[in-house]
Every structure is written in C-alpha cells, then in structure tokens.
C-alpha cells in the first residue's frame, strides 16, 4: 500500500466516528459480540433438535432471553445509572462468558432445561449490558456525531444478522454445537477486552434512593416527554400486531407458497442486507424534522404484511422485505439519537431500558397468539389488521406535539439541574 493511500485512509478514519478512541473500542467489541449472538441462536436451536426436542422446545429455549429482558430491563437501567457504565458492561460480559464456558465444560452438555437456563442468563446479562451501553455512547461521542455513531452500530448489527447465522451453521456442521458455544464465549471475551480499553468520562454522583424510586424517576422522565411516550406506544402496538405476525407467518407463507427450504432464509438475509443499506442512507441524512422523517420510514414497514397477503412470487416477497429493511434502520437510528440528545446523562441508562422493554415486552404475547388467531380466522384478516395498524399508528403519532421534531423542552424534575436551569444538550 502506498504512503499516500495509507495517509488517506488514516485521515478518513480520523474524521469518522471511528477516530474517537472510546467509540472505536465499543464498536469493535460489539461488532464481534453481535456475530457471536447470532451464531448462538443457530447453535442453541440445533442443539435442542439434537437432544430430540421439537419446535415447542426450541421456542421455550429461545424465549428465555426475552423473559430475562422483561424481568430485568428496568433493574439494568437503574444500575447503569448508579454505577460506572463500563463496570456494568464488564460484569455482564464476564457472567455471560463464564456461563457459556461452564456449558462447554460439561462432558455431556446441557439438556433442554439447562439450555433454557443458559439463554435466560445470557438475556439477563444483555438486560444489564444494553442500558449501560446506551448510556455510555453519548458520553464518548459528541452530540453532532451521534447519528453517524448509531448508524455504524446499526450497520454492524445488520451485517452480523447475515454473517452470524451463516457462521453458526458452518461451525456446527464442522465442529458441533459445543464448539459454537465456545466461539460465542470467545466473542464475549473480545467484547470484554474492548470495554476494558474504554475510558469513561466521570459523572456527577446522583443522590442514591431506593431502586423502586429510581425506576419511577426513569419512567416519569419518559412520560413527561410527550413525544417519547407517543412513539413508545406506537412501537408497542406495532410489535404486538405487526412484528409478531410477520415472524410467525413468514416461514409458513414461504414454505406453502414456494416449496423451497431456502426461501425463508433468503428473505431474512435480504431483510438484513437491506437494513445495512438503510444505515448507510441515514448516515447521510441531516433532516430538519428527524421525527417526521423517521416515522415516515417506519410506515414503510407496511410492505411486509402487503407482500405476505399477496405472495405472487418469491421476488415480490423479497422486494417487500427489502423495502422494510431499508426503512426500519433510519427510524431506529434517528430514534436512538433523539433519545440520547433529549435526556441527561444521569437518566440515559433507565431511558434505554424503558425503550428496550417496551419494544420487546409484548413480543412474547404476540408470538403466542398470532398463530392461533391466524388458524382461527385465517391469515388474511391478521395481515390486513397488521397493514392498517402499521400505517394508522404512524399517522396518529405524528399528531402528537414534539414527534415531528423528536424534541421537547426539558420538563421539570429529573430533566433539570439542581438550580432549576434546563440542561443544555
């Protein structure tokens, strides 16, 4: 490589968010860990099948993660705001890594119940890690570069969603599921080492109260900001009535309509790859009204129920999922950035945990009822409701003050400094 090219590359990196040492280390650790997480889903599912389990057993094991998130997300947010966030993330990575090592070390491997417990422990670690991560990013990235940082993170997760399952399948085929678990443990070790390299800026210690009081303070801060409450309500409804039906019905539709074992995987791969394109798109956007742009992108997810309603060809379904993938990433990136700019540092752990809890909280219920309801009334009514809900909920949320700008002046209480002056963001 020529000296001029090396200099150009160094200049380009220095001018990007990867030129920020704190974020670069966080991103590197999460890039590896995200691939490990996706690999684990494949490995643990195949391990259940190896043990003679059926689809219900696979669902039970995978549900352990979501259950842990629902149980511990708010507590994770409190501890992310109480303690140095770097310490919380290190502890979460150590616990998850050791848990996987213990499973690998068992000669006969874990049974189905043990695997369900494993996913629960991993989900618990995630419930503490994510709020700490969400609070740490805006402390190591300047406000004007948060969109780029969140876009890069989204691009990394989209890439992991493609590479992780493929790598998981290869590792399991060549070396078995226990080796795949070991690879996932190694990914947590890499994440741990990267977090250890991060220098967390000092935070002013907030007065310590009970955990319940601190949870209430976080919830109150979110409720006091009308646009966040409105968007979270929209997200919860869409999770229950749109996202869950798509997750349940997509494998059924592709299996029945196209008689191809690879169709389901192809559609999901395109969805993830198009999400990568969406993050590249949003990284170039500088919208005056980020909320309006984000919600309009969100409404485009209506392409999913539409193509499942009319699966005239595999190409048609793939096109619909490509549109949905491109659309959802700008929404996610603009939403995360708006939260980081709206709320003060001492609340970001709890705000992140509330966002995450609301986003996932109704998913288990939706997954449980979507199939039986579709069997009872047919797929068409379920998908019609999903299409209407996606568009109408997006339109209604734009009527709430503050949503179009993703901003609201700081509310009294947790949003202000002790002297009463609003926090500068």
């Amino acid at each position: 490589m020529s000296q001029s090219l090396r200099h150009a590359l160094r200049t380009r990196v220095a001018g990007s968010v990867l030129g920020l040492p704190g974020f670069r280390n966080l991103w590197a650790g999460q890039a590896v860990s995200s691939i490990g997480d996706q690999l684990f889903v494949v490995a643990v599912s195949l391990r259940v099948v190896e043990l003679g389990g059926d689809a219900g057993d696979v669902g039970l094991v995978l549900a352990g993660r979501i259950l842990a998130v629902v149980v511990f997300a708010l507590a994770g947010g409190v501890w992310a705001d109480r303690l140095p966030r770097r310490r919380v993330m290190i502890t979460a990575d150590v616990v998850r890594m050791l848990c996987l090592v213990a499973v690998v070390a068992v000669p006969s491997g874990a049974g189905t119940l043990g695997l369900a417990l494993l996913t629960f422990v991993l989900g618990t670690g995630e419930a503490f890690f994510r709020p700490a991560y969400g609070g740490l990013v805006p402390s190591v990235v300047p406000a004007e570069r948060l969109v780029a940082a969140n876009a890069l993170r989204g691009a990394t997760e989209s890439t992991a969603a493609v590479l992780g399952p493929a790598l998981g399948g290869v590792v399991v085929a060549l070396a078995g599921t226990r080796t795949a678990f070991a690879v996932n443990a190694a990914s947590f070790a890499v994440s741990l080492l990267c977090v250890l390299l991060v220098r967390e800026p000092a935070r002013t210690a907030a007065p310590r109260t009970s955990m319940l009081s601190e949870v209430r303070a976080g919830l109150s801060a979110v409720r006091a900001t009308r646009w966040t409450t409105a968007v979270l309500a929209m997200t919860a409804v869409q999770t229950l009535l749109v996202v869950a039906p798509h997750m349940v019905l997509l494998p059924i539709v592709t299996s029945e309509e196209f008689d191809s074992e690879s169709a389901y995987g192809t559609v999901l791969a395109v969805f993830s790859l198009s999400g990568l394109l969406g993050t590249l798109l949003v990284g170039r956007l500088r919208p005056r009204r980020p909320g309006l742009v984000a919600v309009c992108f969100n409404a485009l997810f209506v392409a999913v129920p539409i193509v499942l309603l009319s699966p005239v060809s595999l190409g048609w379904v793939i096109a619909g999922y490509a549109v949905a993938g491109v659309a959802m990433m700008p929404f996610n990136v603009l939403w995360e950035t708006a939260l980081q700019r709206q709320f003060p540092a001492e609340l970001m752990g709890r705000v992140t945990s509330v966002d995450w809890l609301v986003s996932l909280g109704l998913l288990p219920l939706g997954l449980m009822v979507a199939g039986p309801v579709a069997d009872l009334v047919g797929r068409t009514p379920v998908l019609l409701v999903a299409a209407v809900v996606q568009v109408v909920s997006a339109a209604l949320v734009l009527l709430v003050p503050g949503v179009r700008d993703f901003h609201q002046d700081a509310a009294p209480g947790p949003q202000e400094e002790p002297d009463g002056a609003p926090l500068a963001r």
Side-chain angles (χ1 to χ4, degrees):
M1 183 183 293
S2 69
Q3 185 175 358
S4 59
L5 181 56
R6 285 197 298 269
H7 176 72
L9 288 174
R10 283 197 296 268
T11 302
R12 184 175 181 85
V13 170
S16 73
V17 287
L18 291 180
L20 304 169
F23 179 75
R24 182 172 63 245
N25 290 321
L26 285 177
W27 171 81
Q30 286 306 286
V32 175
S33 182
S34 295
I35 293 176
D37 290 341
Q38 295 291 335
L39 176 151
F40 173 79
V41 172
V42 173
V44 76
S45 300
L46 293 176
R47 179 57 182 162
V48 173
V49 175
E50 288 175 0
L51 294 171
D54 57 16
D57 295 319
V58 173
L60 173 66
V61 169
L62 295 180
R65 169 183 170 269
I66 299 177
L67 177 61
V69 170
V70 172
V71 172
F72 292 110
L74 294 179
V78 169
W79 285 105
D81 287 339
R82 280 184 174 185
L83 301 175
R85 285 158 182 154
R86 180 173 167 273
R87 186 188 305 173
V88 175
M89 295 164 68
I90 289 170
T91 303
D93 274 343
V94 168
V95 169
R96 291 184 288 180
M97 179 183 67
L98 293 179
C99 186
L100 282 161
V101 169
V103 171
V104 173
V106 175
S108 60
T112 300
L113 184 59
L115 293 174
L117 179 61
L118 172 64
T119 58
F120 184 84
V121 172
L122 296 182
T124 301
E126 193 175 2
F128 283 84
F129 187 96
R130 277 189 178 256
Y133 180 93
L136 186 56
V137 167
S139 70
V140 298
V141 177
E144 67 274 10
R145 300 171 80 175
L146 282 172
V147 169
N150 291 324
L152 182 57
R153 177 190 175 190
T156 302
E157 292 181 349
S158 295
T159 304
V162 178
L163 297 181
L167 178 62
V170 171
V171 172
V172 171
L174 295 179
T177 52
R178 291 175 66 191
T179 300
F181 292 159
V183 172
N184 192 22
S187 75
F188 285 124
V190 172
S191 174
L192 171 62
L193 292 174
C194 290
V195 174
L196 286 170
L197 296 174
V198 176
R199 297 183 63 182
E200 180 176 359
R203 284 186 290 144
T204 303
R208 184 69 60 83
T209 59
S210 70
M211 180 173 290
L212 183 58
S213 296
E214 292 182 35
V215 168
R216 287 174 177 167
L219 293 172
S220 296
V222 172
R223 285 200 305 267
T225 312
R226 288 171 295 181
W227 67 266
T228 59
T229 304
V231 175
L232 285 173
M234 178 193 76
T235 302
V237 171
Q238 291 176 350
T239 297
L240 178 65
L241 299 177
V242 185
V243 176
H246 120 75
M247 294 176 67
V248 170
L249 296 178
L250 174 61
I252 296 173
V253 170
T254 53
S255 175
E256 292 182 356
E257 298 293 334
F258 308 120
D259 192 26
S260 170
E261 294 181 356
S262 63
Y264 176 55
T266 300
V267 172
L268 290 182
V270 169
F271 181 68
S272 298
L273 287 172
S274 62
L276 177 59
L277 295 177
T279 58
L280 297 176
L281 172 64
V282 73
R284 297 178 177 274
L285 293 178
R286 295 293 183 272
R288 287 185 177 181
R289 312 196 81 173
L292 176 62
V293 173
V295 174
C296 288
F297 271 113
N298 172 275
L300 292 178
F301 195 82
V302 71
V304 164
I306 287 176
V307 297
L308 292 180
L309 269 169
S310 55
V312 293
S313 69
L314 180 58
W316 168 246
V317 175
I318 288 174
Y321 272 82
V323 170
V326 170
M328 288 312 295
M329 277 303 171
F331 171 78
N332 291 338
V333 169
L334 293 172
W335 165 249
E336 289 175 8
T337 303
L339 292 179
Q340 291 163 349
R341 289 174 173 169
Q342 175 71 49
F343 294 95
E346 62 268 22
L347 282 172
M348 269 312 302
R350 280 166 284 177
V351 170
T352 301
S353 68
V354 171
D355 173 33
W356 200 37
L357 178 61
V358 172
S359 299
L360 286 179
L362 292 178
L363 184 57
L365 175 61
L367 293 174
M368 286 190 295
V369 304
V373 171
D375 290 339
L376 181 64
V377 302
R379 291 202 302 257
T380 298
V382 172
L383 292 170
L384 282 173
V385 168
V388 172
V389 165
Q390 187 70 31
V391 175
V392 171
S393 62
L396 290 177
V397 80
L398 288 174
L399 301 177
V400 177
V403 168
R404 292 171 183 250
D405 297 316
F406 269 0
H407 177 75
Q408 179 177 314
D409 290 338
Q415 296 284 87
E416 292 189 352
E417 296 280 15
D419 64 1
L423 286 164
R425 298 299 294 165

